[in-house]
Amino acid sequence: MKFLDRLRDVVEGLTVHGQATAIMKIKAQIDNLFMLITLGDMLGIPILPPYYSLRLMPYVFPNIQNWKRFMLRERDVTDLVS
């Protein structure tokens, strides 16, 4: 029974892992776009009026520090390839 469970996990990992990582990358891109649209004025890109940004602040507050670090980090050619 244990062998069959492990075999099922291996087969599932071989078939679904690529799709799961692609979905996680797309979700991260959408989250970054949302943060840029709502809180872009922190980076000097005002897109929405501050009123709407302040209304959304309680929901996005835990993610602000990581998002700013991601958006302001230096990138090179190898980042574009991967």
Side-chain angles (χ1 to χ4, degrees), residues 31-81:
D31 288 345
N32 286 331
L33 182 63
F34 173 75
M35 293 288 283
L36 181 66
I37 290 171
T38 55
L39 301 173
D41 52 344
M42 286 185 179
L43 301 177
I45 308 170
I47 297 174
L48 281 179
Y51 171 75
Y52 298 110
S53 298
L54 289 175
R55 297 269 321 242
L56 293 171
M57 187 67 74
Y59 303 105
V60 297
F61 183 75
N63 303 328
I64 290 176
Q65 191 66 22
N66 292 335
W67 172 72
K68 285 190 342 185
R69 188 179 308 122
F70 173 77
M71 292 299 288
L72 297 176
R73 73 179 173 95
E74 293 184 22
R75 293 181 174 86
D76 59 358
V77 178
T78 59
D79 289 338
L80 299 174
V81 173

Side-chain angles (χ1 to χ4, degrees), residues 9-23:
D9 290 343
V10 168
V11 171
E12 184 177 334
L14 289 172
T15 57
V16 181
H17 179 69
Q19 294 172 349
T21 55
I23 289 170

